[in-house]
Amino acid sequence: MYSSVHEIFQEFHTARPSLERSISQLKEELSAFKDGVVLYGAGSSGMALLGALRRAGIEPRCFCDGLEAKWYQTCMGLPIVPPRELIPRYGDQLLVIICINTDGKRYCRSFAEALRQGGHPGVHQRLHDAGCQSIIDYEQLSCYFELFLGDNTGNLPCCPDVLMMLRHQEEIENVYHQLSDPCSKQIYLGIVAHRLLRDKSEIMTLPQSEQYFPSDILTFNSQEHFVDCGAFHASALEGLMERTGGRFASYYALEPDSINYDYLTKHFPISDPAQLSRCSLNQVAAWDSDGIQSICSLSGPGSFIAEYGEDTVLCKKIDSLLDGNPVTMLKMNIEGSELHALHGAKHSIERFQPKLMIAGYHKTWDLWDIPAFFKQHIDHRPLFLRSYMGHLSFVYYI
């Protein structure tokens, strides 16, 4: 177990020759697979990896996906092929790269049940059953540092921009000192060590049921004004009501994906008219300005704003949405838009000083830039960090 960020960076510099490989080495290794490369998982991680590979001059043959609803569609110009058709269509000398966020034991809950059925080994087994012999997880590409420079729009927490981390060592060390309890500090060191050294030592991981509601950090009451960015099916509202006897003061749901929003309005977990009158459901994305942005709509959790998105979405600043109304709880898990959305909420945050529950894992720089935002806009309050999927999925609380 590491005792400081400085120690991790020192070890990285010593071990760097054995940790880093070049793009030319990647291309040489891929050339052994004469039938090409396939990306399994036509979601935010697969799309992000495709963008990274294309910038390096590497073009996969197709996407493959376990979700039947995606079959025979296209994603970023590539066909989405059922597993059983990979070998007949392309040949048996394929390399399949699994683009699903997993800690090796479980998948992020944002993926359809069909994809995580049977756990992590289950996807490998189904691909083997389809005749695929060469299968790796995308995390194994993390040694190609130059592949993951800058903003790989999407969700690749296993493959951060390591060179950017090296340039921001001081800020990364500052966050460690900003954290308020030993648990947060140890989780943080584990995340930094995993990103720089691919260290897989276990860190404390809480159950998903406690995400956004860690009982050892925050308390909740019946007068909460809850702004829920990335509301999906309003499960966070249900979590709040479980802790407050079903009571709350107001609820604002922001859900940009049209299919998710349609489901939310049809299956909203509240039917009492008095409570419904205190709820505001909005098909918008939280952002740092009001306007229109392109979005990759995935018809489930994981939709994200990106220039190459084929759909558009109305974006709103939370300050505009609230228009002076109070907020006591602000939750964000919005696929890399967290910093944009925080800046669009800064006046409400400064005025009302709400409890913040902010995902910090989608972009490399979120690790240090989100705590820096807190330090600038929140009165002196303790900062905490908790993990919900090993080194991959974590939330900052303040």
Side-chain angles (χ1 to χ4, degrees), residues 41-46 65 70 99-102 107-116 155 298 301:
S44 62
S45 296
D65 206 283
K70 296 183 178 181
C99 305
I100 300 177
N101 288 310
T102 171
Y107 291 116
C108 287
R109 62 177 180 170
S110 61
F111 290 90
E113 190 66 32
L115 287 180
R116 59 181 189 265
N155 188 13
L298 302 181

Side-chain angles (χ1 to χ4, degrees), residues 227-229 254 285-290 316-325 327 330-332 334 341-346 348-349:
V227 176
D228 186 0
C229 300
L254 289 79
W287 200 244
D288 56 13
S289 60
D290 299 336
K316 295 278 285 184
K317 296 189 297 182
I318 291 172
D319 289 338
S320 300
L321 184 71
L322 292 176
D323 192 25
N325 289 314
V327 53
L330 177 56
K331 166 241 162 184
M332 294 180 180
I334 46 178
L342 284 168
H343 283 286
K346 64 182 179 181
S348 298
I349 290 171

